[in-house]
Amino acid sequence: MHNPYLPYPVRIAMIRVETEDKNLRTFKFEFLNPGDEEKFAYLPGQFAELSVPGQGEIPIGIASSPTEKGSVLFTVNRVGQVSTFMHCMKEGDIMGLRGPLGHPYPLDTLKGKDILIIAGGFAVTTLRSTIVWMLQPENRPKYGKITFVYGARTPGLLLYKEEWSDWQKRDDIDVHVTVDREAPGWTGRVGFVPAITKEVCPPPKNTAAIICGPPVMIKFTQPVLEEAGYSTDDIIMSLENRMKCGLGICGRCNVGPEYVCKDGPVFTLTQLNQLPKEY
Amino acid sequence: MAEYTVKDKLSFLKAAAGSGRRLLAPSSKDGRVRLAEVTPDRVAFDYLNTHLSPKDAFFPQTEKMLAFHKDAAKPGAFVYQPLGLDKIQPTVVFGLRPCDARGLAVCDRVFQNDRFTDPYWKTKYEGAVKIGLACQAPGPNCFCTAVGGSPFGEDGLDVLAFTKGEGLGLKTLTPAGDEFLKGLSGLESGGAAGEMDGLKKAAESRLPGPLDLAKAQAAPVMEIYNQPHWKETADRCLNCGTCTFFCPTCHCFDIQDEENERGGVRMRNWDTCMSWLYTIHGSGHNPRPTKTERVRQRFMHKLKYIPLKQGGACGCVGCGRCVQHCPVNIDIRAVAVDMSK
Ligand SMILES: Cc1cc2nc3c(=O)[nH]c(=O)nc-3n(C[C@H](O)[C@H](O)[C@H](O)COP(=O)(O)OP(=O)(O)OC[C@H]3O[C@@H](n4cnc5c(N)ncnc54)[C@H](O)[C@@H]3O)c2cc1C
Ligand code: SF4
Ligand code: SF4
Ligand code: FES
């Protein structure tokens, strides 16, 4: 019988400090056992439990795309017990990976649409996965125009600089990276995510928006999209709640009748409007 | 399915204990009846229900799930391995009350949901033959009939038994129940079902009529969620968690790691949604910051969310334990009435 509590053993293949405040590190994992990578078949938007023996587990969105074979990427903010311990681990250390968990973004129902992707702060993780996946030659023709708005407080807090700098050079994605205020050496956009969204968002007809960010960004971006005429069915978000099992069993993460881990974490705004705001 | 009678309870229990399965049954210890591994002569019959719900038999209050070692000289250092799953003993549980059996069936649909199966639960739950003992004299706190159950209810059982003088009447309900009774000696065929119908009607007539949950169950979630009565109930509640501890359908757990210099274990422990720690994020943000949200969560879960997710099945099976043990007399029946106004 499959044991969904048993993590796949992985080795930390690479650790990269992502931000100037050093609070975010990206971990690249390689599976110890041949065959486990195939079993861990995931899609953008799903998450996993990072399992540190003796410390515990944390649910973290998968930042790599399944098209990036050979390893899996996660970017971890230093918060409490497990994440702080992980920030002290070294390349080569052994830990565990349990998943994939949750549902991916609705990549199939998004086919044929223009896509607006809005990210704030380090919530960009699963959106990195989504963009890398959509830009693959075999996937790109399935979608219309892709617009990416990404903001952080300062340039030093932006993740994945190498990736989005490359995307800026392409002509099949519009990339708008912004910081809250002017900063030395920054030549890109300045302004908050909701304002940039208002300026660059494509017409709502046949466009779907995926938004991930801190609560205040979501609070001010949602009205911008609604004013622009986006239907609540076309506004897609990913929730976070405290979790343990990730399987819809331990009861920890429910929002009304839905378990964020098993039934989410991806929901449309239409769905969220019918649920308590317990997240 | 088949019906049987036995003349003598003790010889039936001896046969069950000799079947090669471990016998779990109600027995008295320190003045309280609990479900435990016992010898047939110690099995209690004069109890309204076990003090604690029987969930512990399938979902222990604390359970080690995985273990790892740190010895780099041996293979598999820092790699978790499963614990306990190969040591599950085949069991026969005798004396489950029908409300509790129905409660375990509610848990079963969580532990084996539409996407995942919990092997720690499944091996124990499905590895047990479950023999219920009908309530011929229901207690003052019982209200199974108010929430769709019966003192002779059959949900979640393999066999339903009732006392018949010094003996028992038995009715099998599943192939597992059939199989188990077929293998026991001393059973006479027939003579149970007819009598059972009469006893069932008599016992049901002594219990309350159905609660009107139709409105609460038909209304949108947010309509019930935004009702004004939640704060009044919450004002009295101490968030002590007694109700969730006793409840046969409360299945929440925490997962914790423990380690020493040689290795460690990952275990799960019963938890309670009545605690403010239950939902708090690492950032300090708490989606259920006050007692009102937490009290509402418990009752919404039982009476609204579980029915929504389990095809109408009520998440409260009317065992009465939370009503009996709540230090401030919060009564789920009164909350159900408020929800249906
Ligand atoms: C679907 C999902 C995706 C996420 N993706 C990311 C990501 O890509 N990068 C990132 O840095 N963070 C992410 N988080 C948040 C991350 O899980 C928490 O910051 C982390 O669990 C904190 O654990 P800790 O042990 O360091 O903190 P502590 O406060 O010591 O937490 C102890 C335990 O509480 C639980 N917990 C506490 N806060 C949270 C929380 N916000 N969400 C879930 N469980 C929590 C965990 O079980 C944790 O082990 C995500 C959360 C969810 C639910
Ligand atoms: S037993 Fe009563 S006081 Fe304690 S948490 Fe439950 S409802 Fe509240
Ligand atoms: S809610 Fe109370 S009465 Fe209902 S099943 Fe749980 S403990 Fe029993
Ligand atoms: S984390 Fe256990 S139910 Fe969602």
Side-chain angles (χ1 to χ4, degrees):
Chain A
M1 195 188 311
H2 174 68
N3 186 345
Y5 296 96
L6 188 65
Y8 299 117
V10 291
R11 178 188 301 106
I12 304 179
M14 188 271 308
I15 301 176
R16 183 172 71 210
V17 177
E18 284 283 348
T19 52
E20 63 187 1
D21 65 2
K22 298 192 171 55
N23 271 340
L24 283 134
R25 282 174 197 238
T26 294
F27 295 81
K28 181 171 164 181
F29 296 114
E30 286 169 4
F31 291 92
L32 284 192
N33 299 328
D36 283 355
E37 185 181 351
E38 283 68 44
K39 288 188 220 150
F40 189 88
Y42 66 95
L43 283 171
Q46 289 191 287
F47 68 97
E49 289 281 354
L50 305 191
S51 178
V52 184
Q55 296 297 315
E57 296 186 308
I58 49 174
I60 302 289
I62 308 175
S64 52
S65 156
T67 51
E68 297 171 293
K69 302 265 181 249
S71 59
V72 202
L73 281 190
F74 297 87
T75 301
V76 179
N77 188 24
R78 187 160 60 84
V79 180
Q81 180 173 338
V82 179
S83 55
T84 304
F85 190 91
M86 274 191 73
H87 272 241
C88 302
M89 290 175 80
K90 301 181 305 295
E91 290 175 358
D93 284 351
I94 303 298
M95 51 178 281
L97 191 57
R98 190 158 73 76
L101 301 167
H103 289 284
Y105 294 117
L107 300 162
D108 274 335
T109 48
L110 294 180
K111 275 186 195 156
K113 295 196 179 218
D114 292 340
I115 312 289
L116 170 62
I117 295 177
I118 308 169
F122 66 87
V124 66
T125 55
T126 58
L127 299 178
R128 176 199 181 279
S129 170
T130 309
I131 294 172
V132 172
W133 190 87
M134 285 186 170
L135 291 181
Q136 286 302 302
E138 69 270 28
N139 296 323
R140 186 63 191 89
K142 297 176 195 159
Y143 304 94
K145 189 171 157 18
I146 301 179
T147 310
F148 177 44
V149 178
Y150 175 32
R153 286 207 311 282
T154 66
L157 292 178
L158 290 162
L159 308 185
Y160 315 135
K161 288 184 193 75
E162 215 168 281
E163 282 90 337
W164 57 255
S165 310
D166 280 348
W167 301 337
Q168 279 178 325
K169 293 178 203 131
R170 299 174 66 126
D171 55 10
D172 58 352
I173 176 168
D174 273 344
V175 179
H176 307 275
V177 180
T178 179
V179 296
D180 288 359
R181 52 190 71 79
E182 303 279 355
W186 178 252
T187 54
R189 279 178 178 270
V190 175
F192 295 111
V193 166
I196 309 291
T197 303
K198 190 168 184 161
E199 191 187 319
V200 305
C201 71
K205 193 174 163 288
N206 204 34
T207 305
I210 308 179
I211 321 179
C212 288
V216 10
M217 183 204 96
I218 299 206
K219 188 173 157 204
F220 291 107
T221 308
Q222 206 176 297
V224 169
L225 294 176
E226 284 175 82
E227 257 165 53
Y230 282 70
S231 113
T232 52
D233 284 335
D234 290 327
I235 302 178
I236 298 156
M237 302 207 254
S238 184
L239 297 193
E240 273 187 26
N241 248 357
R242 188 165 176 161
M243 293 185 178
K244 288 291 170 177
C245 70
L247 310 169
I249 297 175
C250 79
R252 172 99 26 186
C253 67
N254 78 294
V255 169
E258 311 298 334
Y259 288 117
V260 174
C261 64
K262 171 173 78 72
D263 307 313
V266 176
F267 295 95
T268 64
L269 187 53
T270 309
Q271 291 173 308
L272 293 182
N273 284 343
Q274 291 162 23
L275 294 173
K277 302 253 170 306
E278 293 188 346
Y279 44 85
Chain B
M1 302 287 132
E3 43 173 312
Y4 298 96
T5 49
V6 288
K7 291 215 171 57
D8 164 38
K9 290 187 277 233
L10 188 59
S11 57
F12 172 77
L13 291 170
K14 282 183 177 157
S19 68
R21 286 173 179 269
R22 175 178 76 119
L23 175 67
L24 277 189
S27 70
S28 186
K29 190 180 178 209
D30 304 329
R32 282 193 173 136
V33 175
R34 85 269 194 255
L35 201 63
E37 193 170 349
V38 278
T39 52
D41 57 310
R42 301 275 319 276
V43 175
F45 278 88
D46 55 343
Y47 64 101
L48 289 173
N49 202 350
T50 50
H51 179 63
L52 295 179
S53 92
K55 68 185 174 188
D56 186 63
F58 312 102
F59 168 45
Q61 196 179 338
T62 173
E63 177 170 33
K64 289 180 182 156
M65 305 172 88
L66 308 170
F68 74 97
H69 71 80
K70 296 180 177 175
D71 185 350
K74 289 195 206 134
F78 291 96
V79 175
Y80 266 120
Q81 299 294 341
L83 268 188
L85 288 170
D86 50 350
K87 296 197 183 65
I88 311 287
Q89 288 171 274
T91 298
V92 51
V93 186
F94 177 83
L96 285 174
R97 291 304 192 189
C99 59
D100 285 340
R102 196 164 160 242
L104 294 172
V106 169
C107 291
D108 187 46
R109 290 187 287 268
V110 174
F111 283 99
Q112 305 199 56
N113 61 40
D114 55 342
R115 296 191 68 190
F116 299 101
T117 296
D118 187 308
Y120 301 89
W121 165 274
K122 183 185 164 92
T123 44
K124 291 194 261 298
Y125 184 73
E126 290 184 355
V129 175
K130 296 173 274 291
I131 304 181
L133 187 60
C135 301
Q136 285 156 269
N141 295 309
C142 297
F143 61 95
C144 56
T145 44
V147 286
S150 159
F152 279 68
E154 301 177 351
D155 273 7
L157 289 171
D158 297 307
V159 176
L160 180 64
F162 63 96
T163 23
K164 194 173 154 64
E166 289 306 302
L168 295 169
L170 298 148
K171 180 177 163 193
T172 64
L173 305 166
T174 63
D178 259 339
E179 183 82 7
F180 181 73
L181 290 194
K182 251 188 233 150
L184 298 189
S185 57
L187 270 66
E188 289 166 32
S189 232
E195 194 178 344
M196 218 170 208
D197 286 343
L199 291 170
K200 178 177 178 191
K201 285 201 186 79
E204 282 178 351
S205 72
R206 297 165 60 181
L207 283 159
L211 276 169
D212 180 14
L213 296 168
K215 190 194 155 215
Q217 300 198 345
V221 166
M222 291 314 289
E223 190 178 316
I224 309 294
Y225 185 89
N226 287 325
Q227 286 172 339
H229 58 82
W230 296 113
K231 180 155 187 323
E232 281 163 50
T233 308
D235 280 343
R236 281 194 285 148
C237 175
L238 312 173
N239 271 188
C240 65
T242 301
C243 49
T244 58
F245 184 79
F246 277 99
C247 182
T249 68
C250 275
H251 57 81
C252 294
F253 58 86
D254 187 22
I255 301 180
Q256 287 293 334
D257 283 32
E258 274 187 7
E259 63 169 347
N260 57 28
E261 54 293 342
R262 277 165 286 123
V265 292
R266 179 161 294 159
M267 64 178 97
R268 68 174 165 201
N269 306 304
W270 291 359
D271 206 343
T272 175
C273 60
M274 288 297 184
S275 162
W276 64 275
L277 286 168
Y278 187 74
T279 45
I280 193 164
H281 289 199
S283 61
H285 165 67
N286 196 340
R288 290 191 205 120
T290 75
K291 276 199 297 182
T292 304
E293 291 85 33
R294 300 193 280 274
V295 166
R296 175 168 52 197
Q297 161 61 23
R298 171 161 154 81
F299 294 110
M300 287 291 276
H301 190 211
K302 298 290 174 224
L303 302 174
K304 182 74 191 159
Y305 304 155
I306 290 180
L308 260 178
K309 286 296 185 184
Q310 296 199 2
C314 189
C316 169
V317 294
C319 75
R321 288 186 183 88
C322 64
V323 178
Q324 186 185 353
H325 294 288
C326 174
V328 297
N329 296 325
I330 290 173
D331 188 329
I332 188 167
R333 289 166 294 187
V335 176
V337 169
D338 282 342
M339 288 169 75
S340 294
K341 272 186 192 147

